[in-house]
Amino acid sequence: MGKLRIAAIAASLCLIAGCVPAYYSGHGSFSASAAEDNTITQDINFNCIGEVAELKLASSISSAEWSSSDTNVAVVTATGSNTAEITAVGKGSAVIYCVVGENLLKYNITVPDKAAPVVRNVGDITLNNTNNAAQADLKGIAKGSAVWSSSDEKVAKVDQNGSIIAVGKGSCVITAVAGNTTYTINVTSDYDSEIQVPTGSAEVIMETIELTAQNPKRTITADNLPDGTKLEWFSSNEDVASVDADGNISAVGPGRCRVYTSVGGRRFIWEIVSDFDPNAKTTPAIIGSVTLDKDSPSKQLSITDITDNKSVKWSSDDTSIAEVSSDGIVTAHGKGKCTVTAVAADGRTFLIEIISDHEPDSASEADLVLNGIGSKTNIITGSVGGSKPEFVSMNKDIVTVDAEGCVTAVGVGETSVVLTVDGSSTILKVRVDAVELIGDANCDGKVSLADALAILQFVANETKYPLTEQGMKNAETYGNDGITAKDALAVQMYETGAVSVLPVIE
């Protein structure tokens, strides 16, 4: 950082007892005025904390006394008989006094709350295929406390511990920012990623990985590493394949590249060959079929190519044939064929053909009827044959069921609850009916301002905001002239306590 230099002021600014001009030029703003007959005042505005201003008096001055009104803001040091330095040390204002005989110079100092940036170049390094990595060491800076970056990651990359690895040919600058100091390292790389290095040298070729539209991802696992070892993964071309901090490789586009990491001064490389086209439209193929019948009306689905089946999103294209739960349990509802789709977290899609020979009972009566949202009932209590049963709701927007078999109505409609004991499953048909509750237009089991809004929306556009048959009956809360805005007003009156019962009779 350069210093501010105090150069000649206007020649007219002289002290009566002798010519003692102060001099200023450089950064910041400056103004000067003759405050008294024997006083000259100057304003110096520093740009940042840490900045230094050089003061120089007339060469005829043989001695001067210097002092600061606030050394927490600025300090002054005499550097010669007629020179001094002012250093900004903290935010605020101060006055630097200079006494020459009977004359006074006053420097009004202003320092902003801004630290001066410091840039230090710590050296140059050259990388090639023989020496393809380097460890930067910043004296006095603990590992991991600086923020590292590369100006060109196609030439060299750096991790947050200062480990620099060559990626390609060229030059770049490695930068580390620690506090207010920026450290730079100039890197020249002759590294060629296409050159094959014999096994036993600094690089080890592990294997070739093929990425396709059907299998666009792959995870590399590293075994037998010391406890606490953290690997940094890199891709030589992220337009072909990317790799995350856990070694998960994802195809990005077609081509070839390398994925690598370094351990103990050696680089371990995986050759990547990708024919993945992100713009290509692919139709997922059916990977298998499942048959459901009267004896086995429900089965658990799983995809062997997916390590975490809990992250899969399931759906059926015909729930009248078979319905699939969020856990992958498929349950027959009728006879025929349908397709269940499984979408993995990484975007891969799998299709499963469902063949149902299950014919529902001719009677369509539900096994369990719940009257109104919020109502509950227990399917079964305790164990069955010494085994604890398992319960699954096929539509959690209609009913939920806990581990003890308590079924709770959360929406109006029909669904199924699957009861499994010792591997044998039974389907219970469940229906939730809306109950008559005057004012409950949205059939959620209570009267609230949400019902008033539902009524107003229905009045404005009944096609866009329809009410159920029971909801329309519940909505008539004012008179008997059909559903109008007065019904919404009646609900609001009920909510505020203006009326105690519904409907409101005119």
Side-chain angles (χ1 to χ4, degrees), residues 449 489-499:
L449 292 178
L489 177 61
V491 172
Q492 293 174 351
M493 293 169 64
Y494 179 79
E495 272 293 285
T496 59
V499 297

Side-chain angles (χ1 to χ4, degrees), residues 117-134:
V118 179
V119 179
R120 296 178 181 174
N121 181 268
V122 295
D124 303 332
I125 62 172
T126 299
L127 301 176
N128 50 43
N129 284 69
T130 303
N131 299 300
N132 53 58

Side-chain angles (χ1 to χ4, degrees), residues 304-353:
T304 56
D305 287 347
I306 300 176
T307 56
D308 182 13
N309 275 272
K310 292 182 179 180
S311 64
V312 176
K313 293 183 178 180
W314 301 89
S315 62
S316 169
D317 67 349
D318 191 343
T319 55
S320 66
I321 302 296
E323 191 173 12
V324 62
S325 72
S326 59
D327 301 322
I329 298 176
V330 61
T331 302
H333 287 312
K335 190 172 183 178
K337 293 182 179 181
C338 67
T339 301
V340 165
T341 301
V343 180
D346 58 14
R348 288 181 294 165
T349 301
F350 303 87
L351 303 181
I352 303 170
E353 183 184 40

